Amino acid sequence: MRRTMWLVLPALIVCFGGSGCGIGEVDQDVSNTDGSWTSTTSTDADADTDTDADTDIDTETDHSDTPGDSQTEDTGVDCESLPEVELWMSPDDSNSMSSPVQVREEVLATGIVRHAPVRIHEFMNYYSYDYPPAPDGEVELVVELARDDDLPEGEYILQVGVVSEARTRQERDPLNLTLVLDTSCSMGGSPLDRMKDSCNAIAASLKPGDVVSLVTWSTIQDAVLVGHAVTGPRDPTIVDACDGLAADGGTDLHSGLAAGYAVAQEHYLEGAINRVVLVSDGQANVGVTDESLIGAGVGIHDGEGLYMAGIGVGGIGTGYNDTLMDTVTDLGRGASLYVPTSAEAERMFQGRFLEVFDVAARDVEMRLDLPQGFQLVQFSAEEVSTVREEIAPQHLAPNDAMVFYNHIHTPCPDVSPETEITVMVTYKSEVDWTVTEIERTYTFGELLAKSPRPLRRGAAVYAYAKALSEQDPDDLDRAYLALSKAEALYPADPELGELRAVLQAVAPQ
């Protein structure tokens, strides 16, 4: 018999089961930090607003005990009476990528995920996909479908890529960056070194026309640079300010952010991408220390087009406060990153600089219309809802893609090749904020006739993240299988090699 399952996601409730969907009493499995499991119940869709994956939600409906040839009979489902399902999805900001770096570093150092959070949507953001870029000023849709022999009867893999335009550093928009740098005592040693690495890597990617301000903070705040016009890459004034950073004092993160936003507002630059860049270990021990209050002070600036990027530094499990950094950047509508090494600083702020700081499309929304009788049983999105207003629109960077990896299932036999699936995307121009809508309908037959390629990368990344989250032997086997399929299409790929190295550290094969 098919098990009906209720899911709690941030600010929404989604039901998956054999008899339809609704909102009501919710049974949620919550993973504790010691690896045990606690059952909780909620009747309010807003009851769980924590977007941190320390609370692991099981996004997989168990239908392994449902015989493929008798599902309709066993479940009592009248396939002709089942509704079509309209779902809105969000992957969080397309360049939030902190979680996979934390997980990789912890596993390679210890062989286990103990402290690092596993946020699957950030894994999908961190790794790359070879989608063709969209035309300039536009967003493109790429939809792929696969039916693998190792899947349960009636289950398909569906991946949707929302792809931005390609853009070079010379073509990017001017930047107005306000660097808000934590110089408290807790930043001494490696965190301070990684902050300097990040600061210098950012400086190396700047160009004339950019503007930089630099505010340091501990128990006091100091505006070291205010509205400085950049002369070019590695501007000596900015490099000197980065190299001169020193750690001292308590951690008044709230006041530091307030000072940074005040400078950013005072020097707001029309026609530029305006960002506040917080670099910190996330510790708050002076002044306001409540995560929600700190985050609320950030979120009020979203309507002004003043977005945040948060760069986390510090040891995993030895002082780095991921929950606070994730909360603040989520409310600040920007990237959440983690920099454990100088190499990662160069990777993110030189090689992927535009993905982190530039914007190609604003307020992207994606709707997926499943055909009659189909349900969503696994997904990578941070948020999913049948109610559009419950899903926050997100920004899309150039040279980037929002990737939605899903498993969909039907208990109904004999799916016709003419079965249709519709995907709709809306977005605002990053230039004049005009709204564009793209809606496309595909048949199963036309999608299954194509050989999926980025989907195989998505499947490998998703299975990898899920295996590290659950640390279940079966999930690890599935991760290795998905990785092997991707490697067959992308031989000697360095990102897939990284996935294999981490899996080998957990469970050699």
Side-chain angles (χ1 to χ4, degrees), residues 403-425:
V403 180
F404 301 87
Y405 178 86
N406 312 279
H407 283 214
I408 59 175
H409 179 268
T410 179
C412 306
D414 303 324
V415 176
S416 168
E418 301 305 313
T419 300
E420 293 183 338
I421 191 164
T422 298
V423 181
M424 190 272 284
V425 168

Side-chain angles (χ1 to χ4, degrees), residues 142-146 442 444-453:
V142 181
V143 178
E144 298 174 284
L145 187 70
Y442 310 84
F444 272 48
E446 68 177 296
L447 291 175
L448 290 172
K450 300 176 182 178
S451 297
R453 185 174 169 89

Side-chain angles (χ1 to χ4, degrees), residues 9-56:
L9 290 174
L12 62 126
I13 297 180
V14 180
C15 155
F16 307 124
S19 58
C21 294
I23 295 178
E25 184 171 308
V26 179
D27 292 327
Q28 175 191 1
D29 287 332
V30 179
S31 173
N32 298 318
T33 56
D34 62 359
S36 61
W37 291 83
T38 304
S39 178
T40 64
T41 301
S42 171
T43 57
D44 184 356
D46 293 325
D48 181 6
T49 58
D50 181 15
T51 60
D52 182 56
D54 287 341
T55 301
D56 292 326

Side-chain angles (χ1 to χ4, degrees), residues 63 178 201 224 300 303 305 407 417 466:
H63 43 77
T178 302
V224 178
I300 62 174
H407 283 214
K466 194 170 188 299

Side-chain angles (χ1 to χ4, degrees), residues 346-400:
E346 292 178 3
R347 180 179 187 176
M348 302 311 299
F349 307 125
Q350 293 186 35
R352 302 177 71 172
F353 183 78
L354 272 69
E355 291 179 56
V356 175
F357 292 116
D358 206 356
V359 174
R362 302 178 191 271
D363 293 341
V364 179
E365 299 178 277
M366 197 279 281
R367 191 194 75 216
L368 173 63
D369 297 348
L370 295 179
Q372 184 180 38
F374 274 83
Q375 298 164 319
L376 186 68
V377 293
Q378 293 189 56
F379 56 92
S380 67
E382 182 189 31
E383 296 178 331
V384 178
S385 179
T386 57
V387 180
R388 180 177 188 172
E389 291 73 22
E390 290 183 342
I391 304 300
Q394 301 294 341
H395 307 314
L396 177 62
N399 308 331
D400 203 2

